[in-house]
Amino acid sequence: MRRIVKKKAALLVTAAALGLMVTACGGSKESSGGAAGTTAAGVETTKAAETEPAEELPASAEYASVDGMYKVTLLEGLEQTDMQFQANSSMMGLDGGSDRSGFSGISLGSPKGSVPGNPEKMESLEDYADHVVALALDGSGVTVDWEDVNAEVPEGAERCLAREGVARVSGTKGLAYAYYLETGDSYYSLIVVGNDDDVEDAKKVMKLDILGGAALEGSKAFVSGMTAVLNTVNGASVMDTVKAMEDMGASDAEMASIRSQAAQSLSDSWDVADAAGLMETADWLMNEGHNKEAKEYLGEFGGTEAADRAAMEAKLEGEDGEVRSAVLAAYDAWAAYGDAAISAWDLSRVGTVMGFGYAAGYCTYEEAMDKCLEAAKKAQESFGSWEEFNQSYLYGYAYWMGEDLEDPASSAAERVDIVDTLSSQANGPFSVDWNMELNKEW
C-alpha cells in the first residue's frame, strides 16, 4: 500500500499570463507637468488661478471588473479584456488601441489572502504596490522610476497610495501613474502607462470605485469553489488563467511555454504523460484516491474499532509525530463523514489535475470542465455543505502532510486560516449555493 504520497504542483504564473495588458510607451515627449485642480483619483496638483476658466475634461467611461468587485473610470474608448483568477480576484486590461497608441491600463482587485502571483510577503499596501508593479511590468520592457505623490482616501477604503514616474522602453519615454487602495480585507490597484498627454488626460478623470461584488451562481462557480483553497495558495486558478490567455489571443510561443510547463508538472507530480493518464488519474481521485488509502491506513492501527478519539490516541502511544497526526486526521475524518472521510481532499484536486491537463494540451477546456462537473456532483452526494466539504478537505491535507491542524506552526494551520478567510467573504467562493442543481454550462 502506498503511504502518504505527497504530490505537489507548482502554479503556472508567467509574465505572459499576468503582463499581457501592458504595452510599450508611445512617443518621446517630455513630461508636461500636472494639471490644475484635484484629479478624480484625488491627486493634489497646482491650484489654477481663479480667473482662469474651468478646464474641459477629456471624455471618460466606466469599466467594471468581471467579478463585479470594482470599477474604474478612465478615458473613453479603451478596449477592455478580463482575466478572473478565482472568485473575487480578477484583472482588467484597458488598451488605448489606435486612438491612443501605446497607452495601457491594468487594474487588479482581490482579497488580501488571494493576491494573484502568490506573493511571499504581503504585510502592507506598499508591499502590494511593489508586487503589482512587478506583475504588470516585469518582462514588458518598461521601466519606471517611481516616487510617491499625495492622494486622498476615497469612501470605502482604509488607505490609498499613489505613485508616478517617467516610464522608459527601447529608447523612448513617457509617463506612468499608479493608484492603490486598501480595505479591511482587500487590495485594489490601477496602473496606466503611455505618452505624456494620454497619461495626463487619464489622471484628470481616473477613479477607482469599490463595489459589492456579484453574487456567485452557476456550476462554474461551484467548481471554482472546490479548488478555491489551492488557488489561493498558488495565487490563481491554472484552468481560468490559461483559458483567459487563450481568449485574449496569447501567441503560439506563449502557449507553447505554458504547455511545456504544465506537461512537466504533471509528469513530476502525478506521473501523467498523456491524455489517457490524465483521465485515469482524475478517475482514481474520484473513486479511490488518498481517501481509500487513509481508511486502510487507519485500519492498520485499529482506528475503525476504537471506542472514541481518546481510545484512538491511546493506540498511538509511542508513534512519531507525523504518523500520529496522519492517523488522527484519518480517524477524525472517518468519524465525521464515514466512507467519504477525506474524499473532499481528492475531489478538490480533480479540478487542479484537469486544469494542468488542459494547460498541457492533453484535453480541451470542455473535457476538463466535464470531468470537474463529475467531481462536483460526487461532492454534493458525499457532503451536505461547504462547511463539511472544507473540513473533509482539511482532514485530507493534514493526513497527506502528517500534520496537526491545530499546530499554529504547520502548513495545515495555514490552510485552516485560508478556509476561514474565504468562508467569511460575502461573495467569496463558498457563497454559491451548495444544493444548487449542477448542469453543464460551457
Side-chain angles (χ1 to χ4, degrees), residues 182-389:
E182 176 181 6
T183 67
D185 61 4
S186 299
Y187 289 123
Y188 302 87
S189 58
L190 173 59
I191 302 172
V192 294
V193 179
N195 65 49
D196 297 5
D197 290 345
D198 288 341
V199 173
E200 291 295 351
D201 281 349
K203 287 168 58 179
K204 294 171 186 176
V205 299
M206 70 185 297
K207 185 179 180 183
L208 200 161
D209 292 311
I210 301 168
L211 307 176
L216 296 180
E217 56 185 18
S219 298
K220 289 180 69 175
F222 192 100
V223 167
S224 295
M226 292 177 64
T227 59
V229 176
L230 185 58
N231 292 346
T232 299
V233 172
N234 286 338
S237 159
V238 171
M239 184 94 76
D240 293 341
T241 300
V242 175
K243 180 64 165 63
M245 288 182 66
E246 287 188 342
D247 291 345
M248 290 189 295
S251 70
D252 291 342
E254 289 166 341
M255 295 311 301
S257 176
I258 291 294
R259 285 193 292 273
S260 176
Q261 292 179 59
Q264 190 64 53
S265 292
L266 285 173
S267 176
D268 292 345
S269 299
W270 294 93
D271 298 324
V272 169
D274 52 27
L278 175 70
M279 294 301 179
E280 181 181 350
T281 298
D283 289 338
W284 175 76
L285 285 169
M286 286 193 289
N287 298 315
E288 295 182 9
H290 287 103
N291 185 51
K292 180 181 178 182
E293 295 175 4
K295 290 185 292 184
E296 291 175 349
Y297 191 62
L298 178 62
E300 292 180 9
F301 290 87
T304 56
E305 299 173 359
D308 51 30
R309 197 176 197 277
M312 185 70 254
E313 291 175 345
K315 289 177 178 290
L316 295 172
E317 288 186 7
E319 299 290 345
D320 66 38
E322 183 174 341
V323 169
R324 180 182 176 84
S325 293
V327 174
L328 286 176
Y331 175 83
D332 290 338
W334 173 78
Y337 308 118
D339 286 340
I342 67 166
S343 62
W345 166 245
D346 295 318
L347 294 172
S348 73
R349 293 184 298 160
V350 171
T352 300
V353 170
M354 294 308 299
F356 274 88
Y358 162 54
Y362 295 160
C363 66
T364 65
Y365 176 76
E366 181 178 9
E367 289 169 337
M369 290 300 295
D370 285 350
K371 188 60 70 173
C372 291
L373 184 61
E374 290 182 42
K377 290 180 177 179
K378 183 150 189 169
Q380 279 186 332
E381 294 170 359
S382 302
F383 303 98
S385 65
W386 283 112
E387 290 77 12
E388 291 185 5
F389 179 85

Side-chain angles (χ1 to χ4, degrees), residues 40-90:
V43 179
E44 297 175 3
T45 56
T46 305
K47 186 176 181 180
E50 294 182 0
T51 58
E52 293 182 4
E55 181 180 13
E56 182 177 353
L57 295 177
S60 63
E62 293 182 347
Y63 304 89
S65 65
V66 66
D67 54 13
M69 292 302 297
Y70 63 97
K71 68 177 180 181
V72 300
T73 302
L74 211 56
L75 299 171
E76 186 178 62
L78 302 179
E79 180 182 350
Q80 178 178 345
T81 53
D82 296 285
M83 178 181 289
Q84 184 157 10
F85 302 104
Q86 54 182 303
N88 295 357
S89 181
S90 67

